[in-house]
Amino acid sequence: TVVPGPSTAAGLGQATATATCPAGTMVVGGGGSIIPQGGRAPVGVTMTASYPSTAAAGLVTSGAAQGWSVVGTSGGGASTTSAYVICLPSGSIPAVHVRASAPAAPPSAGAPAVAVATCAAGGILLGGGFAVTGSPLPDAHVRASYPSAADGSPGSDAPVVGSWTAIAEGERATATSTTTAFALCSGG
């Protein structure tokens, strides 16, 4: 079941939207959108996070998530941020848990930050997400978020896909921002 969350409108700045699974169900995936007013993207409108979350939009880095959150950043005009969560009845598949990973150190200025979250041995990758946190967020550009091998190579190139990779970069030094990848795993 896909559950939409309430949309959040924002002018300049940041807006977070969260969709939560109803009681008796579990999170197995999610996503979202950031739509500029008028439908055309002014400079600086970007999605900086799409991740498994608590009901209050907190990052879930291990264990079970209650929902899915999306963060939209608008440096150049008004926009609406929306989140969607995919839910299955509890017990319909082995327990779903979140694994998260962020690089130990920020990349040098101009270099991308690469984060890879991997399911435990025996776990099955259901999906994943990303979050760029810190500042300057209007400078953050998520370049990729995809299923991968543990080394970050795309899933289509891997014999077994058990990881999720997120790649982000900024126009200025990224020493104060962190890129995190999230993997939703069943079993393991």
Side-chain angles (χ1 to χ4, degrees):
T1 304
V2 175
V3 179
S7 296
T8 305
L12 296 178
Q14 182 173 296
T16 301
T18 300
T20 56
C21 285
T25 65
M26 60 184 166
V27 175
V28 295
S33 63
I34 176 169
I35 307 295
Q37 268 186 348
R40 296 189 56 159
V43 174
V45 173
T46 186
M47 185 182 302
T48 57
S50 178
Y51 60 92
S53 68
T54 66
L59 295 170
V60 174
T61 58
S62 64
Q66 297 171 303
W68 198 270
S69 293
V70 172
V71 178
T73 302
S74 182
S79 62
T80 301
T81 300
S82 301
Y84 305 88
V85 64
I86 303 170
C87 312
L88 285 179
S90 297
S92 60
I93 62 173
V96 176
H97 55 277
V98 176
R99 306 268 300 202
S101 177
S108 59
V114 179
V116 181
T118 301
C119 294
I124 297 171
L125 178 70
L126 300 176
F130 63 90
V132 179
T133 55
S135 64
L137 287 182
D139 261 356
H141 302 285
V142 177
R143 298 294 184 214
S145 176
Y146 58 87
S148 68
D151 67 359
S153 61
S156 61
D157 298 339
V160 176
V161 176
S163 300
W164 196 270
T165 295
I167 302 171
E169 61 187 355
E171 295 169 5
R172 293 182 272 174
T174 56
T176 58
S177 65
T178 301
T179 300
T180 304
F182 299 89
L184 274 79
C185 311
S186 178

